[in-house]
Short mmCIF file of all heavy atoms in Angstrom, two decimals:
data_model
loop_
_atom_site.label_atom_id
_atom_site.label_comp_id
_atom_site.label_asym_id
_atom_site.label_seq_id
_atom_site.Cartn_x
_atom_site.Cartn_y
_atom_site.Cartn_z
N MET Y 1 -25.26 0.41 15.09
CA MET Y 1 -24.90 1.29 13.99
C MET Y 1 -23.55 0.91 13.38
O MET Y 1 -23.41 0.88 12.19
CB MET Y 1 -24.88 2.75 14.50
CG MET Y 1 -24.68 3.75 13.41
SD MET Y 1 -26.18 3.90 12.47
CE MET Y 1 -25.78 5.24 11.44
N GLN Y 2 -22.57 0.63 14.25
CA GLN Y 2 -21.23 0.24 13.77
C GLN Y 2 -21.31 -1.02 12.92
O GLN Y 2 -20.68 -1.12 11.89
CB GLN Y 2 -20.29 0.05 14.97
CG GLN Y 2 -18.89 -0.37 14.59
CD GLN Y 2 -18.12 0.75 13.88
OE1 GLN Y 2 -18.55 1.89 13.86
NE2 GLN Y 2 -17.01 0.41 13.30
N THR Y 3 -22.11 -1.99 13.37
CA THR Y 3 -22.24 -3.24 12.63
C THR Y 3 -22.86 -3.00 11.26
O THR Y 3 -22.43 -3.59 10.28
CB THR Y 3 -23.09 -4.25 13.44
OG1 THR Y 3 -22.47 -4.44 14.71
CG2 THR Y 3 -23.19 -5.58 12.73
N ASP Y 4 -23.86 -2.12 11.21
CA ASP Y 4 -24.49 -1.80 9.92
C ASP Y 4 -23.46 -1.23 8.95
O ASP Y 4 -23.43 -1.59 7.78
CB ASP Y 4 -25.62 -0.79 10.10
CG ASP Y 4 -26.80 -1.38 10.87
OD1 ASP Y 4 -26.91 -2.61 10.92
OD2 ASP Y 4 -27.58 -0.58 11.43
N ARG Y 5 -22.59 -0.34 9.42
CA ARG Y 5 -21.57 0.26 8.58
C ARG Y 5 -20.59 -0.81 8.09
O ARG Y 5 -20.17 -0.80 6.94
CB ARG Y 5 -20.84 1.36 9.36
CG ARG Y 5 -19.68 2.02 8.66
CD ARG Y 5 -19.94 2.64 7.31
NE ARG Y 5 -21.05 3.55 7.25
CZ ARG Y 5 -21.62 3.94 6.13
NH1 ARG Y 5 -21.18 3.52 4.97
NH2 ARG Y 5 -22.64 4.75 6.13
N LYS Y 6 -20.23 -1.74 8.98
CA LYS Y 6 -19.33 -2.83 8.59
C LYS Y 6 -19.95 -3.68 7.49
O LYS Y 6 -19.26 -4.07 6.54
CB LYS Y 6 -19.00 -3.71 9.80
CG LYS Y 6 -18.00 -3.13 10.74
CD LYS Y 6 -17.67 -4.12 11.84
CE LYS Y 6 -16.65 -3.58 12.80
NZ LYS Y 6 -16.32 -4.55 13.85
N ILE Y 7 -21.20 -3.97 7.61
CA ILE Y 7 -21.90 -4.78 6.60
C ILE Y 7 -21.93 -4.04 5.28
O ILE Y 7 -21.65 -4.62 4.22
CB ILE Y 7 -23.32 -5.12 7.08
CG1 ILE Y 7 -23.25 -6.09 8.28
CG2 ILE Y 7 -24.14 -5.74 5.95
CD1 ILE Y 7 -24.56 -6.30 8.98
N ILE Y 8 -22.26 -2.76 5.31
CA ILE Y 8 -22.31 -1.95 4.08
C ILE Y 8 -20.93 -1.90 3.43
O ILE Y 8 -20.79 -2.09 2.22
CB ILE Y 8 -22.82 -0.53 4.39
CG1 ILE Y 8 -24.30 -0.59 4.76
CG2 ILE Y 8 -22.60 0.41 3.22
CD1 ILE Y 8 -24.85 0.69 5.35
N ASN Y 9 -19.89 -1.67 4.23
CA ASN Y 9 -18.52 -1.62 3.69
C ASN Y 9 -18.12 -2.95 3.10
O ASN Y 9 -17.50 -3.01 2.04
CB ASN Y 9 -17.54 -1.20 4.78
CG ASN Y 9 -17.66 0.26 5.15
OD1 ASN Y 9 -18.25 1.04 4.42
ND2 ASN Y 9 -17.11 0.62 6.29
N LYS Y 10 -18.46 -4.04 3.76
CA LYS Y 10 -18.11 -5.39 3.28
C LYS Y 10 -18.78 -5.65 1.94
O LYS Y 10 -18.14 -6.17 1.01
CB LYS Y 10 -18.53 -6.42 4.32
CG LYS Y 10 -18.33 -7.85 3.90
CD LYS Y 10 -16.89 -8.27 4.03
CE LYS Y 10 -16.74 -9.75 3.83
NZ LYS Y 10 -15.82 -10.10 2.79
N ARG Y 11 -20.04 -5.31 1.83
CA ARG Y 11 -20.76 -5.50 0.56
C ARG Y 11 -20.11 -4.70 -0.56
O ARG Y 11 -19.93 -5.19 -1.67
CB ARG Y 11 -22.22 -5.09 0.71
CG ARG Y 11 -23.04 -6.07 1.50
CD ARG Y 11 -24.47 -5.62 1.55
NE ARG Y 11 -25.22 -6.44 2.49
CZ ARG Y 11 -26.28 -6.03 3.14
NH1 ARG Y 11 -26.75 -4.81 2.95
NH2 ARG Y 11 -26.90 -6.83 3.97
N TYR Y 12 -19.75 -3.45 -0.26
CA TYR Y 12 -19.11 -2.60 -1.26
C TYR Y 12 -17.78 -3.21 -1.69
O TYR Y 12 -17.49 -3.30 -2.89
CB TYR Y 12 -18.88 -1.19 -0.68
CG TYR Y 12 -18.15 -0.28 -1.64
CD1 TYR Y 12 -18.85 0.44 -2.59
CD2 TYR Y 12 -16.76 -0.17 -1.61
CE1 TYR Y 12 -18.18 1.27 -3.49
CE2 TYR Y 12 -16.09 0.65 -2.50
CZ TYR Y 12 -16.80 1.36 -3.43
OH TYR Y 12 -16.14 2.16 -4.32
N GLU Y 13 -16.97 -3.63 -0.73
CA GLU Y 13 -15.67 -4.22 -1.04
C GLU Y 13 -15.84 -5.49 -1.87
O GLU Y 13 -15.10 -5.72 -2.83
CB GLU Y 13 -14.90 -4.54 0.24
CG GLU Y 13 -14.50 -3.31 1.03
CD GLU Y 13 -13.57 -2.39 0.25
OE1 GLU Y 13 -12.72 -2.88 -0.50
OE2 GLU Y 13 -13.69 -1.17 0.43
N ASP Y 14 -16.81 -6.32 -1.53
CA ASP Y 14 -17.05 -7.55 -2.28
C ASP Y 14 -17.47 -7.25 -3.71
O ASP Y 14 -17.03 -7.91 -4.65
CB ASP Y 14 -18.11 -8.40 -1.60
CG ASP Y 14 -17.61 -9.04 -0.31
OD1 ASP Y 14 -16.38 -9.09 -0.09
OD2 ASP Y 14 -18.47 -9.49 0.49
N ARG Y 15 -18.32 -6.25 -3.90
CA ARG Y 15 -18.80 -5.90 -5.24
C ARG Y 15 -17.70 -5.35 -6.13
O ARG Y 15 -17.70 -5.54 -7.34
CB ARG Y 15 -19.93 -4.87 -5.15
CG ARG Y 15 -21.30 -5.44 -4.95
CD ARG Y 15 -22.39 -4.42 -5.25
NE ARG Y 15 -22.13 -3.10 -4.72
CZ ARG Y 15 -22.58 -2.64 -3.56
NH1 ARG Y 15 -23.31 -3.40 -2.79
NH2 ARG Y 15 -22.30 -1.41 -3.18
N HIS Y 16 -16.75 -4.64 -5.54
CA HIS Y 16 -15.72 -3.95 -6.32
C HIS Y 16 -14.36 -4.64 -6.28
O HIS Y 16 -13.37 -4.08 -6.77
CB HIS Y 16 -15.59 -2.50 -5.84
CG HIS Y 16 -16.83 -1.70 -6.11
ND1 HIS Y 16 -17.86 -1.61 -5.22
CD2 HIS Y 16 -17.21 -1.00 -7.19
CE1 HIS Y 16 -18.81 -0.86 -5.73
NE2 HIS Y 16 -18.44 -0.48 -6.93
N LYS Y 17 -14.31 -5.85 -5.76
CA LYS Y 17 -13.04 -6.56 -5.60
C LYS Y 17 -12.32 -6.76 -6.93
O LYS Y 17 -11.13 -6.46 -7.06
CB LYS Y 17 -13.28 -7.90 -4.91
CG LYS Y 17 -12.02 -8.69 -4.65
CD LYS Y 17 -12.34 -9.97 -3.91
CE LYS Y 17 -11.08 -10.73 -3.60
NZ LYS Y 17 -11.37 -11.96 -2.84
N GLU Y 18 -13.00 -7.28 -7.91
CA GLU Y 18 -12.37 -7.56 -9.22
C GLU Y 18 -11.91 -6.27 -9.90
O GLU Y 18 -10.84 -6.24 -10.50
CB GLU Y 18 -13.33 -8.35 -10.11
CG GLU Y 18 -13.62 -9.75 -9.60
CD GLU Y 18 -12.35 -10.57 -9.39
OE1 GLU Y 18 -11.44 -10.53 -10.25
OE2 GLU Y 18 -12.27 -11.26 -8.35
N GLU Y 19 -12.71 -5.23 -9.80
CA GLU Y 19 -12.35 -3.94 -10.39
C GLU Y 19 -11.05 -3.42 -9.75
O GLU Y 19 -10.16 -2.93 -10.43
CB GLU Y 19 -13.49 -2.95 -10.14
CG GLU Y 19 -13.24 -1.56 -10.62
CD GLU Y 19 -14.37 -0.62 -10.22
OE1 GLU Y 19 -15.53 -1.06 -10.19
OE2 GLU Y 19 -14.07 0.55 -9.94
N ARG Y 20 -10.95 -3.52 -8.43
CA ARG Y 20 -9.76 -3.08 -7.72
C ARG Y 20 -8.55 -3.91 -8.10
O ARG Y 20 -7.46 -3.39 -8.31
CB ARG Y 20 -9.98 -3.20 -6.20
CG ARG Y 20 -10.08 -1.91 -5.47
CD ARG Y 20 -10.10 -2.03 -3.96
NE ARG Y 20 -10.26 -3.33 -3.39
CZ ARG Y 20 -11.41 -3.93 -3.11
NH1 ARG Y 20 -12.54 -3.34 -3.39
NH2 ARG Y 20 -11.44 -5.11 -2.57
N LYS Y 21 -8.74 -5.22 -8.21
CA LYS Y 21 -7.63 -6.11 -8.57
C LYS Y 21 -7.12 -5.80 -9.98
O LYS Y 21 -5.93 -5.89 -10.24
CB LYS Y 21 -8.05 -7.57 -8.46
CG LYS Y 21 -8.15 -8.05 -7.02
CD LYS Y 21 -8.73 -9.43 -6.94
CE LYS Y 21 -7.69 -10.48 -7.19
NZ LYS Y 21 -8.19 -11.85 -7.00
N ALA Y 22 -8.01 -5.44 -10.89
CA ALA Y 22 -7.62 -5.12 -12.26
C ALA Y 22 -6.88 -3.79 -12.33
O ALA Y 22 -6.02 -3.59 -13.18
CB ALA Y 22 -8.85 -5.08 -13.16
N ARG Y 23 -7.20 -2.87 -11.43
CA ARG Y 23 -6.64 -1.53 -11.46
C ARG Y 23 -5.37 -1.38 -10.64
O ARG Y 23 -4.50 -0.59 -10.95
CB ARG Y 23 -7.71 -0.55 -10.95
CG ARG Y 23 -7.35 0.91 -11.09
CD ARG Y 23 -8.46 1.83 -10.58
NE ARG Y 23 -8.77 1.55 -9.20
CZ ARG Y 23 -10.00 1.39 -8.72
NH1 ARG Y 23 -11.04 1.45 -9.51
NH2 ARG Y 23 -10.20 1.13 -7.44
N ASN Y 24 -5.23 -2.16 -9.56
CA ASN Y 24 -4.12 -1.99 -8.62
C ASN Y 24 -3.36 -3.30 -8.41
O ASN Y 24 -3.90 -4.37 -8.62
CB ASN Y 24 -4.64 -1.52 -7.26
CG ASN Y 24 -5.37 -0.21 -7.35
OD1 ASN Y 24 -4.84 0.75 -7.88
ND2 ASN Y 24 -6.59 -0.17 -6.84
N GLY Y 25 -2.12 -3.17 -7.96
CA GLY Y 25 -1.32 -4.34 -7.64
C GLY Y 25 -0.61 -4.14 -6.32
O GLY Y 25 -0.55 -3.03 -5.79
N THR Y 26 -0.07 -5.21 -5.78
CA THR Y 26 0.66 -5.13 -4.52
C THR Y 26 1.97 -5.88 -4.63
O THR Y 26 2.12 -6.78 -5.45
CB THR Y 26 -0.14 -5.74 -3.35
OG1 THR Y 26 -0.37 -7.12 -3.62
CG2 THR Y 26 -1.46 -5.04 -3.14
N PHE Y 27 2.91 -5.51 -3.79
CA PHE Y 27 4.15 -6.24 -3.64
C PHE Y 27 4.04 -7.03 -2.35
O PHE Y 27 4.18 -6.45 -1.27
CB PHE Y 27 5.36 -5.29 -3.56
CG PHE Y 27 5.70 -4.63 -4.85
CD1 PHE Y 27 5.28 -3.36 -5.14
CD2 PHE Y 27 6.47 -5.31 -5.79
CE1 PHE Y 27 5.61 -2.75 -6.33
CE2 PHE Y 27 6.80 -4.71 -6.99
CZ PHE Y 27 6.36 -3.43 -7.26
N SER Y 28 3.77 -8.30 -2.46
CA SER Y 28 3.67 -9.13 -1.26
C SER Y 28 5.06 -9.69 -0.96
O SER Y 28 5.53 -10.59 -1.64
CB SER Y 28 2.67 -10.26 -1.47
OG SER Y 28 1.39 -9.73 -1.71
N THR Y 29 5.70 -9.13 0.03
CA THR Y 29 7.05 -9.54 0.34
C THR Y 29 7.27 -9.49 1.84
O THR Y 29 6.50 -8.89 2.57
CB THR Y 29 8.07 -8.65 -0.39
OG1 THR Y 29 9.37 -9.18 -0.20
CG2 THR Y 29 8.02 -7.22 0.10
N THR Y 30 8.33 -10.12 2.29
CA THR Y 30 8.69 -10.06 3.69
C THR Y 30 10.14 -9.60 3.79
O THR Y 30 10.91 -9.74 2.84
CB THR Y 30 8.56 -11.43 4.38
OG1 THR Y 30 9.38 -12.37 3.72
CG2 THR Y 30 7.12 -11.90 4.37
N MET Y 31 10.48 -9.04 4.95
CA MET Y 31 11.84 -8.60 5.19
C MET Y 31 12.09 -8.64 6.68
O MET Y 31 11.14 -8.71 7.46
CB MET Y 31 12.07 -7.21 4.61
CG MET Y 31 11.21 -6.12 5.20
SD MET Y 31 11.30 -4.51 4.38
CE MET Y 31 12.99 -4.29 4.04
N PRO Y 32 13.34 -8.59 7.08
CA PRO Y 32 13.63 -8.61 8.51
C PRO Y 32 12.95 -7.45 9.24
O PRO Y 32 12.92 -6.32 8.74
CB PRO Y 32 15.15 -8.47 8.57
CG PRO Y 32 15.63 -8.96 7.25
CD PRO Y 32 14.55 -8.58 6.27
N ARG Y 33 12.39 -7.74 10.39
CA ARG Y 33 11.64 -6.75 11.18
C ARG Y 33 12.46 -5.49 11.46
O ARG Y 33 11.96 -4.38 11.35
CB ARG Y 33 11.18 -7.40 12.49
CG ARG Y 33 10.55 -6.46 13.49
CD ARG Y 33 9.22 -5.90 13.07
NE ARG Y 33 8.26 -6.95 12.81
CZ ARG Y 33 7.07 -6.74 12.30
NH1 ARG Y 33 6.69 -5.52 12.03
NH2 ARG Y 33 6.24 -7.72 12.07
N GLU Y 34 13.73 -5.67 11.84
CA GLU Y 34 14.59 -4.53 12.17
C GLU Y 34 14.72 -3.57 10.99
O GLU Y 34 14.60 -2.36 11.13
CB GLU Y 34 15.97 -5.03 12.61
CG GLU Y 34 16.86 -3.95 13.15
CD GLU Y 34 18.16 -4.54 13.65
OE1 GLU Y 34 18.14 -5.24 14.68
OE2 GLU Y 34 19.19 -4.28 13.00
N GLU Y 35 14.95 -4.14 9.81
CA GLU Y 35 15.08 -3.33 8.60
C GLU Y 35 13.75 -2.64 8.26
O GLU Y 35 13.72 -1.46 7.90
CB GLU Y 35 15.53 -4.21 7.44
CG GLU Y 35 15.93 -3.46 6.21
CD GLU Y 35 16.49 -4.37 5.14
OE1 GLU Y 35 16.38 -5.62 5.23
OE2 GLU Y 35 17.06 -3.83 4.18
N LEU Y 36 12.66 -3.37 8.41
CA LEU Y 36 11.34 -2.81 8.15
C LEU Y 36 11.05 -1.63 9.06
O LEU Y 36 10.59 -0.57 8.61
CB LEU Y 36 10.27 -3.89 8.36
CG LEU Y 36 8.82 -3.41 8.27
CD1 LEU Y 36 8.46 -3.08 6.84
CD2 LEU Y 36 7.89 -4.45 8.85
N GLU Y 37 11.34 -1.77 10.33
CA GLU Y 37 11.10 -0.68 11.28
C GLU Y 37 11.98 0.54 10.98
O GLU Y 37 11.52 1.68 11.10
CB GLU Y 37 11.32 -1.17 12.71
CG GLU Y 37 10.23 -2.13 13.15
CD GLU Y 37 10.48 -2.75 14.51
OE1 GLU Y 37 11.51 -2.46 15.14
OE2 GLU Y 37 9.62 -3.55 14.94
N GLU Y 38 13.21 0.29 10.56
CA GLU Y 38 14.10 1.40 10.19
C GLU Y 38 13.55 2.16 8.99
O GLU Y 38 13.52 3.40 8.98
CB GLU Y 38 15.50 0.86 9.88
CG GLU Y 38 16.49 1.93 9.52
CD GLU Y 38 17.86 1.36 9.18
OE1 GLU Y 38 18.18 0.23 9.60
OE2 GLU Y 38 18.62 2.06 8.49
N ILE Y 39 13.09 1.43 7.98
CA ILE Y 39 12.52 2.07 6.79
C ILE Y 39 11.25 2.83 7.15
O ILE Y 39 11.05 3.97 6.73
CB ILE Y 39 12.25 1.02 5.69
CG1 ILE Y 39 13.58 0.48 5.14
CG2 ILE Y 39 11.39 1.61 4.57
CD1 ILE Y 39 13.44 -0.72 4.25
N ASN Y 40 10.38 2.21 7.94
CA ASN Y 40 9.14 2.88 8.33
C ASN Y 40 9.42 4.16 9.10
O ASN Y 40 8.76 5.18 8.88
CB ASN Y 40 8.26 1.94 9.17
CG ASN Y 40 7.52 0.94 8.31
OD1 ASN Y 40 7.31 1.15 7.12
ND2 ASN Y 40 7.14 -0.17 8.91
N GLN Y 41 10.41 4.14 9.98
CA GLN Y 41 10.75 5.35 10.74
C GLN Y 41 11.27 6.44 9.81
O GLN Y 41 10.93 7.61 9.94
CB GLN Y 41 11.78 5.04 11.83
CG GLN Y 41 12.03 6.21 12.76
CD GLN Y 41 10.75 6.71 13.41
OE1 GLN Y 41 9.99 5.95 13.99
NE2 GLN Y 41 10.51 8.00 13.31
N PHE Y 42 12.09 6.07 8.84
CA PHE Y 42 12.60 7.02 7.85
C PHE Y 42 11.44 7.66 7.09
O PHE Y 42 11.40 8.88 6.88
CB PHE Y 42 13.55 6.30 6.88
CG PHE Y 42 14.04 7.18 5.78
CD1 PHE Y 42 15.16 7.98 5.96
CD2 PHE Y 42 13.40 7.22 4.55
CE1 PHE Y 42 15.63 8.80 4.94
CE2 PHE Y 42 13.86 8.03 3.52
CZ PHE Y 42 14.97 8.82 3.71
N LEU Y 43 10.49 6.83 6.67
CA LEU Y 43 9.34 7.34 5.91
C LEU Y 43 8.50 8.29 6.73
O LEU Y 43 8.06 9.35 6.24
CB LEU Y 43 8.49 6.17 5.40
CG LEU Y 43 9.17 5.24 4.40
CD1 LEU Y 43 8.27 4.07 4.07
CD2 LEU Y 43 9.59 5.98 3.15
N ILE Y 44 8.29 7.95 7.99
CA ILE Y 44 7.51 8.83 8.88
C ILE Y 44 8.24 10.15 9.07
O ILE Y 44 7.64 11.22 8.96
CB ILE Y 44 7.26 8.13 10.23
CG1 ILE Y 44 6.27 6.97 10.04
CG2 ILE Y 44 6.73 9.12 11.27
CD1 ILE Y 44 6.18 6.04 11.23
N THR Y 45 9.53 10.08 9.35
CA THR Y 45 10.34 11.29 9.59
C THR Y 45 10.31 12.23 8.39
O THR Y 45 10.21 13.44 8.54
CB THR Y 45 11.79 10.91 9.92
OG1 THR Y 45 11.80 10.07 11.07
CG2 THR Y 45 12.65 12.13 10.17
N HIS Y 46 10.38 11.66 7.20
CA HIS Y 46 10.45 12.48 5.98
C HIS Y 46 9.09 12.63 5.28
O HIS Y 46 9.04 13.17 4.17
CB HIS Y 46 11.48 11.88 5.02
CG HIS Y 46 12.87 11.97 5.56
ND1 HIS Y 46 13.42 11.00 6.38
CD2 HIS Y 46 13.80 12.92 5.45
CE1 HIS Y 46 14.63 11.35 6.73
NE2 HIS Y 46 14.90 12.52 6.17
N GLN Y 47 8.04 12.14 5.91
CA GLN Y 47 6.67 12.23 5.38
C GLN Y 47 6.59 11.72 3.94
O GLN Y 47 6.11 12.40 3.03
CB GLN Y 47 6.14 13.66 5.49
CG GLN Y 47 6.06 14.13 6.92
CD GLN Y 47 5.55 15.55 7.04
OE1 GLN Y 47 5.73 16.37 6.15
NE2 GLN Y 47 4.93 15.85 8.16
N ILE Y 48 7.08 10.51 3.75
CA ILE Y 48 7.07 9.85 2.45
C ILE Y 48 6.22 8.59 2.58
O ILE Y 48 6.34 7.86 3.56
CB ILE Y 48 8.51 9.45 2.03
CG1 ILE Y 48 9.41 10.68 1.94
CG2 ILE Y 48 8.50 8.68 0.71
CD1 ILE Y 48 10.88 10.35 1.76
N THR Y 49 5.38 8.33 1.58
CA THR Y 49 4.59 7.10 1.60
C THR Y 49 5.41 5.95 1.03
O THR Y 49 6.41 6.17 0.32
CB THR Y 49 3.30 7.24 0.78
OG1 THR Y 49 3.64 7.36 -0.61
CG2 THR Y 49 2.46 8.43 1.24
N LYS Y 50 4.99 4.74 1.30
CA LYS Y 50 5.69 3.58 0.77
C LYS Y 50 5.60 3.56 -0.76
O LYS Y 50 6.56 3.18 -1.44
CB LYS Y 50 5.12 2.29 1.36
CG LYS Y 50 5.47 2.14 2.82
CD LYS Y 50 4.85 0.89 3.41
CE LYS Y 50 5.18 0.83 4.90
NZ LYS Y 50 4.50 -0.25 5.57
N VAL Y 51 4.48 3.98 -1.29
CA VAL Y 51 4.32 4.02 -2.74
C VAL Y 51 5.29 5.03 -3.35
O VAL Y 51 5.93 4.75 -4.37
CB VAL Y 51 2.86 4.35 -3.13
CG1 VAL Y 51 2.72 4.58 -4.63
CG2 VAL Y 51 1.92 3.25 -2.68
N GLU Y 52 5.42 6.19 -2.72
CA GLU Y 52 6.38 7.19 -3.22
C GLU Y 52 7.80 6.65 -3.18
O GLU Y 52 8.59 6.90 -4.09
CB GLU Y 52 6.28 8.47 -2.38
CG GLU Y 52 4.99 9.24 -2.60
CD GLU Y 52 4.81 10.37 -1.61
OE1 GLU Y 52 5.32 10.30 -0.47
OE2 GLU Y 52 4.14 11.35 -1.99
N LEU Y 53 8.13 5.90 -2.13
CA LEU Y 53 9.46 5.29 -2.02
C LEU Y 53 9.71 4.31 -3.16
O LEU Y 53 10.76 4.33 -3.81
CB LEU Y 53 9.61 4.58 -0.67
CG LEU Y 53 10.90 3.79 -0.47
CD1 LEU Y 53 12.10 4.72 -0.39
CD2 LEU Y 53 10.80 2.92 0.77
N ILE Y 54 8.74 3.47 -3.43
CA ILE Y 54 8.87 2.47 -4.49
C ILE Y 54 9.03 3.14 -5.85
O ILE Y 54 9.92 2.79 -6.64
CB ILE Y 54 7.66 1.51 -4.50
CG1 ILE Y 54 7.69 0.64 -3.23
CG2 ILE Y 54 7.65 0.65 -5.76
CD1 ILE Y 54 6.42 -0.12 -2.98
N VAL Y 55 8.21 4.14 -6.13
CA VAL Y 55 8.27 4.83 -7.43
C VAL Y 55 9.61 5.55 -7.58
O VAL Y 55 10.25 5.47 -8.63
CB VAL Y 55 7.08 5.81 -7.58
CG1 VAL Y 55 7.25 6.71 -8.80
CG2 VAL Y 55 5.78 5.04 -7.67
N ALA Y 56 10.06 6.24 -6.52
CA ALA Y 56 11.33 6.97 -6.60
C ALA Y 56 12.49 5.99 -6.81
O ALA Y 56 13.39 6.25 -7.61
CB ALA Y 56 11.55 7.78 -5.33
N GLY Y 57 12.47 4.89 -6.09
CA GLY Y 57 13.53 3.88 -6.26
C GLY Y 57 13.52 3.29 -7.65
O GLY Y 57 14.58 3.11 -8.28
N TYR Y 58 12.35 3.00 -8.17
CA TYR Y 58 12.22 2.45 -9.51
C TYR Y 58 12.75 3.44 -10.55
O TYR Y 58 13.52 3.06 -11.45
CB TYR Y 58 10.76 2.10 -9.79
CG TYR Y 58 10.49 1.70 -11.20
CD1 TYR Y 58 11.01 0.52 -11.73
CD2 TYR Y 58 9.70 2.48 -12.04
CE1 TYR Y 58 10.77 0.15 -13.04
CE2 TYR Y 58 9.44 2.13 -13.34
CZ TYR Y 58 9.98 0.95 -13.84
OH TYR Y 58 9.74 0.59 -15.14
N GLU Y 59 12.34 4.70 -10.44
CA GLU Y 59 12.79 5.72 -11.40
C GLU Y 59 14.31 5.87 -11.33
O GLU Y 59 14.98 6.01 -12.36
CB GLU Y 59 12.11 7.06 -11.13
CG GLU Y 59 10.62 7.05 -11.42
CD GLU Y 59 10.29 6.80 -12.88
OE1 GLU Y 59 11.06 7.22 -13.75
OE2 GLU Y 59 9.24 6.19 -13.13
N THR Y 60 14.87 5.86 -10.15
CA THR Y 60 16.33 5.98 -9.98
C THR Y 60 17.04 4.80 -10.62
O THR Y 60 18.06 4.96 -11.34
CB THR Y 60 16.70 6.08 -8.49
OG1 THR Y 60 16.04 7.23 -7.95
CG2 THR Y 60 18.18 6.21 -8.29
N LEU Y 61 16.55 3.60 -10.38
CA LEU Y 61 17.17 2.41 -10.97
C LEU Y 61 17.06 2.40 -12.49
O LEU Y 61 17.99 1.96 -13.18
CB LEU Y 61 16.56 1.14 -10.37
CG LEU Y 61 16.93 0.84 -8.93
CD1 LEU Y 61 16.10 -0.31 -8.38
CD2 LEU Y 61 18.43 0.51 -8.83
N LYS Y 62 15.94 2.87 -13.02
CA LYS Y 62 15.80 2.96 -14.47
C LYS Y 62 16.86 3.87 -15.06
O LYS Y 62 17.46 3.55 -16.09
CB LYS Y 62 14.41 3.48 -14.85
CG LYS Y 62 13.36 2.44 -14.86
CD LYS Y 62 12.01 2.84 -15.47
CE LYS Y 62 11.75 4.24 -15.77
NZ LYS Y 62 10.38 4.50 -16.25
N LYS Y 63 17.11 5.01 -14.42
CA LYS Y 63 18.11 5.95 -14.91
C LYS Y 63 19.52 5.34 -14.85
O LYS Y 63 20.35 5.59 -15.73
CB LYS Y 63 18.08 7.24 -14.09
CG LYS Y 63 16.87 8.08 -14.33
CD LYS Y 63 16.86 9.30 -13.43
CE LYS Y 63 15.57 10.07 -13.56
NZ LYS Y 63 15.51 11.19 -12.62
N CYS Y 64 19.78 4.57 -13.82
CA CYS Y 64 21.12 3.97 -13.65
C CYS Y 64 21.38 2.84 -14.64
O CYS Y 64 22.54 2.54 -14.94
CB CYS Y 64 21.26 3.41 -12.23
SG CYS Y 64 21.31 4.68 -10.96
N THR Y 65 20.36 2.22 -15.14
CA THR Y 65 20.55 1.06 -16.02
C THR Y 65 20.45 1.41 -17.49
O THR Y 65 20.60 0.55 -18.34
CB THR Y 65 19.53 -0.04 -15.70
OG1 THR Y 65 18.21 0.47 -15.84
CG2 THR Y 65 19.72 -0.56 -14.28
N THR Y 66 20.22 2.67 -17.80
CA THR Y 66 20.13 3.03 -19.23
C THR Y 66 21.37 3.75 -19.68
O THR Y 66 22.23 4.14 -19.00
CB THR Y 66 18.91 3.95 -19.50
OG1 THR Y 66 18.98 5.09 -18.67
CG2 THR Y 66 17.64 3.19 -19.29
#
């Protein structure tokens, strides 16, 4: 049963890959592990998602540069 679900999910992901790529983007980056773990712990403690962090930082920087 588990294998059947994996196959179904894989087919769905393959069919919708281009649609997802057109609609969404990612920040592919690396950073020091220690800093990453510190940020992740902060996000968990304050119940903030990484996307919310990025948007809030972007909005703050926009305000500072205008």
Side-chain angles (χ1 to χ4, degrees):
M1 187 74 172
Q2 180 69 12
T3 303
D4 293 339
R5 176 55 52 197
K6 283 184 179 181
I7 292 170
I8 290 168
N9 288 344
K10 175 78 170 124
R11 286 183 189 152
Y12 177 86
E13 294 298 324
D14 288 344
R15 274 196 317 265
H16 294 90
K17 182 177 182 178
E18 294 304 317
E19 177 185 326
R20 249 188 349 272
K21 285 173 82 175
R23 187 179 58 228
N24 301 307
T26 61
F27 288 98
S28 298
T29 187
T30 59
M31 62 188 318
R33 172 68 59 187
E34 188 176 291
E35 190 175 13
L36 173 72
E37 290 174 359
E38 181 181 338
I39 292 169
N40 282 337
Q41 188 56 52
F42 177 86
L43 296 175
I44 290 168
T45 301
H46 294 88
Q47 298 179 332
I48 300 170
T49 67
K50 289 178 183 174
V51 172
E52 290 171 331
L53 174 68
I54 292 167
V55 170
Y58 172 67
E59 292 297 327
T60 301
L61 288 171
K62 277 191 349 185
K63 289 177 187 175
C64 292
T65 58
T66 56

